[in-house]
């Protein structure tokens, strides 16, 4: 089972960290952004990494957890022309984009391929009381409060972390990594 992650910010970097800490040793991910100081409140990066590319730095951070892991990454801006090919060899894709239009693009391009998509919706604000999991069809699972978008609310580490941990748990379950 190969896991892909689209975006290496708050959700993507934390899902990756949780998966590697749970024993997943092969991930594929991409992002084109560089780390900014404002990212440090919720992303798996450190102050001395500001200015570095998120995808490359995430790979280095994951190797610090598991030096034997294989973490394929690319500095890439996903679009309709490259996203299907990038994730063609992945069974599960974690959607970790900030913008609605990118989320929609990933779902529209990847879902018809029969891959499982784990997505987030509503990770803004500090309130965690309404976080839930929704199964939408056969292969789309969305985690969040479905109300508080990051365009309208500040993000907080604890909420991003909870949603990312729940998403990682779903990946572990769907990917057959969980022991009975």
């Amino acid at each position: 089972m190969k896991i892909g992650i689209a975006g290496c910010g708050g959700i993507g970097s934390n899902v990756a960290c949780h998966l590697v800490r749970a024993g997943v040793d092969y991930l594929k991910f991409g992002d084109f952004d560089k780390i900014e100081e404002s990212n440090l409140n919720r992303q798996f990066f450190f102050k001395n990494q500001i200015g570095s590319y998120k995808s490359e730095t995430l790979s280095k951070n994951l190797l610090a957890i598991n030096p034997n892991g294989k973490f394929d990454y690319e500095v890439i801006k996903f679009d309709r022309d490259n996203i299907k090919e990038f994730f063609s060899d992945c069974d599960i894709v974690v959607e970790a984009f900030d913008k609605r239009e990118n989320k929609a693009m990933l779902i529209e391009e990847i879902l018809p391929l029969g891959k499982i998509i784990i997505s987030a919706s509503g990770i803004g604000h500090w309130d965690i009381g309404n976080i839930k999991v929704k199964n939408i069809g056969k292969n789309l699972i969305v985690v969040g409060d479905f109300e508080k978008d990051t365009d309208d609310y500040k993000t907080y580490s604890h909420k991003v972390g909870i949603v990312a941990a729940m998403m990682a748990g779903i990946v572990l379950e769907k990917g057959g990594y969980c022991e009975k």
Side-chain angles (χ1 to χ4, degrees), residues 5 7 13 20 25 30-32 56 79 82 84 94 103 115 141 156 161 168:
I5 302 174
S13 66
V20 171
D25 60 1
D31 197 317
F32 70 96
E56 180 180 18
D79 59 34
N82 64 22
K84 283 192 274 194
V94 174
K103 292 173 177 289
K115 298 177 186 304
I141 302 159
Y156 292 87

Side-chain angles (χ1 to χ4, degrees), residues 1-7 11-12 15 19 91-97 103 106-107 110-111 115-121 132-136 138-144 146 163-175:
M1 185 75 48
K2 189 168 183 183
I3 312 304
I5 302 174
I11 292 294
V15 167
L19 291 174
D91 303 290
I92 298 174
V93 177
V94 174
E95 177 280 308
F97 291 134
K103 292 173 177 289
L106 180 140
I107 292 167
I110 300 295
L111 196 60
K115 298 177 186 304
I116 297 170
I117 299 172
I118 318 296
S119 183
S121 177
K132 53 188 154 279
V133 176
K134 286 187 183 180
N135 291 290
I136 302 171
K138 180 182 174 192
N139 287 336
L140 177 58
I141 302 159
V142 186
V143 181
F146 301 87
V163 171
M166 291 172 72
M167 293 171 75
I170 294 165
V171 171
L172 293 170
E173 177 189 350
K174 297 291 183 184

